[in-house]
Amino acid sequence: MDIFLQALPLLLLLVLLGSGRVAPVPACLAALAASFPAVSAALPSGLALPRFLASESLRALFLGLLPVATLSGGLLFSLAAAPRATEPVPPSPRRAYLMILAGSFVESVTGFGVGAMFTVGALRAMGIGGAPAGGMAVLSLWLAPWGGLGPGLALGAALAHRPPHEVSFVTAMPHAAWLLATPPVLWALLARAGLPVPRGERLAQLGMQAAVAGLVLLLGRLMPPETVGFLSSGLVLLPALWHLAPPRDAASRDRALAAIGPWALLTFVLLVARAWQSAPGWRPYADLPAFQLTHVAVVLWCVSLGFLLLRQDGPTRFREAMLRMRRPAAAMLLYVLLGRWLAGSGVATGLAHGIAAGLGPLAPFAIPALGFVGGLLTGSGVGAASSMMSVQADLGLAAGLPPWLAPGIHSFASGAGAAYSFAMTAMVCGLLADGTRPPAIWRGVWPLILIALLIGWAAVAILPALA
């Protein structure tokens, strides 16, 4: 009965969203209402439900405003800094793949779904929308464990008491294998969008994706975690873009600089800000990351406002960004609220322990699934680490696994879960604003969800031999 109560909000959410008849926001409101019995039962004696809900809702507001501010800053930046297309962009499988790869670069630098927002805009310029565009947008989050320069991975390493570079390398091993499984799913999405991929292009995309996967593995071993995502994507993206459209005269070079220059500037400023480790910040909760002066959201807004001041249509673009953010912001805040209620009350932990206990000697194989659920619920690596990493590390040690294995498997699986989470897919649907709903996106990418779990289970079985 306890496990049923604990799982009820998630089951209800899946049923409502899976029906295709309920939008993300009403579905989340229903799940919040269904969570009351489990939350109430999980609270320690002496802690009243209204008091808990009030305190955790404030925590959720703090946590939720960070991605909302980051995403709105990213949307504002794309509207303020990017030149408007004066004519339609010709769609092609190569251009679509490179825009997804560019989105993964943006996500590695900024985090919080800004890469998906970039990809939606790039695909819309090519005339691609609906569920195929939504599926490709979440594919752009395929480097999620290192998104936003890796704060979720760093927090998880701290909670598991392991070195961050160790967790990054262990995460990279299954993740590299998973990246190699993504091209066929992308080709199916492109075919649905009316862009069948010829055999030669498939081989080219496989080669580029293998290069990204190889760089993830190599850089995960050799480089700081903060650099793995943007270097893995950027080192493949830049030469591929040059090959696609090499600047042949001064005018084409100017257009290339106008397109790439603002993103290069933003990347540089974010890296400089990241280097200021002792920046002042606001930390209302000791167990949650501080909102520092150098946070991605602050940098995005400052750089974006700087570009807006240089534009005559700056106020118009600002208003457009804020109007487009209303629906994604509401969805993201509500799903963060649901995640905090379930995590803060102990419902998520209780559900994890119940599942592990029911599996007996197979309990280690719950680690990938629990990591995926953590990302699915919270929509971010930081949220998944704060709610599940301690449980995962303890589960791995109790099962006799090497101490480095469970944190890395969790980071890999939670990254996949966050990319396809309730909050992220609801946010993408809000950006598409064409009636697409999360189930349509999940139907397009479900093989990757299954493959992520299969690779996680294989890693649990195989990687202990490396100890």
Side-chain angles (χ1 to χ4, degrees):
M1 185 63 179
D2 287 342
I3 290 183
F4 174 76
L5 284 178
Q6 292 161 350
L8 179 60
L10 303 182
L11 294 174
L12 179 62
L13 194 59
L14 288 172
V15 169
L16 292 177
L17 291 176
S19 71
R21 299 179 179 179
V22 183
V25 168
C28 188
L29 290 172
L32 284 167
S35 70
F36 286 160
V39 169
S40 180
L43 293 179
S45 58
L47 179 57
L49 179 62
R51 181 181 174 186
F52 166 80
L53 294 179
S55 64
E56 281 301 320
S57 297
L58 288 176
R59 281 174 171 261
L61 182 63
F62 172 72
L63 275 176
L65 284 177
L66 299 184
V68 167
T70 303
L71 185 62
S72 60
L75 181 58
L76 184 62
F77 178 82
S78 68
L79 292 175
R84 296 265 184 165
T86 56
E87 55 187 26
V89 179
S92 71
R94 175 66 61 87
R95 186 170 278 110
Y97 173 82
L98 293 181
M99 291 305 97
I100 293 169
L101 187 57
S104 71
F105 173 85
V106 172
E107 182 67 16
S108 298
V109 175
T110 60
F112 299 105
V114 177
M117 177 275 300
F118 171 90
T119 305
V120 167
L123 294 173
R124 182 181 284 124
M126 288 188 278
I128 301 174
M136 290 182 234
V138 297
L139 281 186
S140 71
L141 307 178
W142 57 33
L143 296 176
W146 299 275
L149 305 178
L153 194 147
L155 176 62
L159 292 172
H161 308 291
R162 305 303 302 177
H165 68 272
E166 176 190 88
V167 176
S168 177
F169 180 49
V170 177
T171 302
M173 287 189 273
H175 202 88
W178 182 68
L179 284 172
L180 294 175
T182 56
V185 174
L186 170 59
W187 301 334
L189 292 170
L190 287 170
R192 289 175 58 194
L195 293 173
V197 186
R199 182 174 180 274
E201 178 61 22
R202 292 187 181 201
L203 292 175
Q205 292 187 15
L206 274 175
M208 287 186 283
Q209 194 69 357
V212 174
L215 284 169
V216 164
L217 194 57
L218 179 65
L219 298 174
R221 179 69 179 87
L222 300 178
M223 297 294 290
E226 296 91 339
T227 66
V228 171
F230 75 84
L231 284 178
S232 298
S233 53
L235 290 175
V236 177
L237 176 65
L238 288 178
L241 285 174
W242 182 278
H243 182 268
L244 177 69
R248 302 186 185 278
D249 51 34
S252 59
R253 283 193 294 272
D254 289 343
R255 287 194 298 269
L257 286 175
I260 297 175
W263 292 100
L265 173 64
L266 176 64
T267 302
F268 174 76
V269 175
L270 284 168
L271 290 173
V272 170
R274 177 78 173 187
W276 187 11
Q277 298 289 340
S278 58
W282 178 45
R283 192 171 193 174
Y285 303 103
D287 58 335
L288 296 178
F291 181 48
Q292 290 184 299
L293 188 62
T294 53
H295 191 274
V296 173
V298 177
V299 175
L300 276 169
W301 271 87
C302 289
V303 175
S304 300
L305 291 175
F307 276 105
L308 278 180
L309 291 175
L310 301 176
R311 306 192 69 106
Q312 291 184 345
D313 60 348
T316 301
R317 295 202 175 198
F318 180 85
R319 185 164 53 252
E320 179 183 348
M322 296 304 101
L323 288 174
R324 285 171 58 180
M325 269 304 301
R326 290 180 301 176
R327 193 180 302 175
M332 187 166 285
L333 286 172
L334 283 174
Y335 281 96
V336 171
L337 178 63
L338 176 63
R340 277 311 312 168
W341 281 10
L342 297 180
S345 64
V347 169
T349 302
L351 183 60
H353 281 303
I355 293 172
L359 290 174
L362 298 177
F365 292 93
I367 293 173
L370 294 176
F372 185 87
V373 169
L376 188 74
L377 270 178
T378 63
S380 74
V382 170
S386 62
S387 61
M388 299 292 287
M389 181 59 88
S390 298
V391 176
Q392 296 276 61
D394 290 345
L395 179 58
L397 292 175
L401 297 179
W404 44 262
L405 183 57
I409 298 297
H410 170 85
S411 294
F412 157 66
S414 64
Y420 308 122
S421 66
F422 303 123
M424 196 60 65
T425 52
M427 180 272 291
V428 168
C429 290
L431 290 172
L432 288 169
D434 58 7
T436 302
R437 291 185 174 176
I441 295 177
W442 293 330
R443 283 194 294 271
V445 299
W446 71 264
L448 289 179
I449 297 173
L450 178 60
I451 291 170
L453 294 173
L454 292 174
I455 290 176
W457 292 327
V460 170
I462 296 170
L463 291 185
L466 299 179

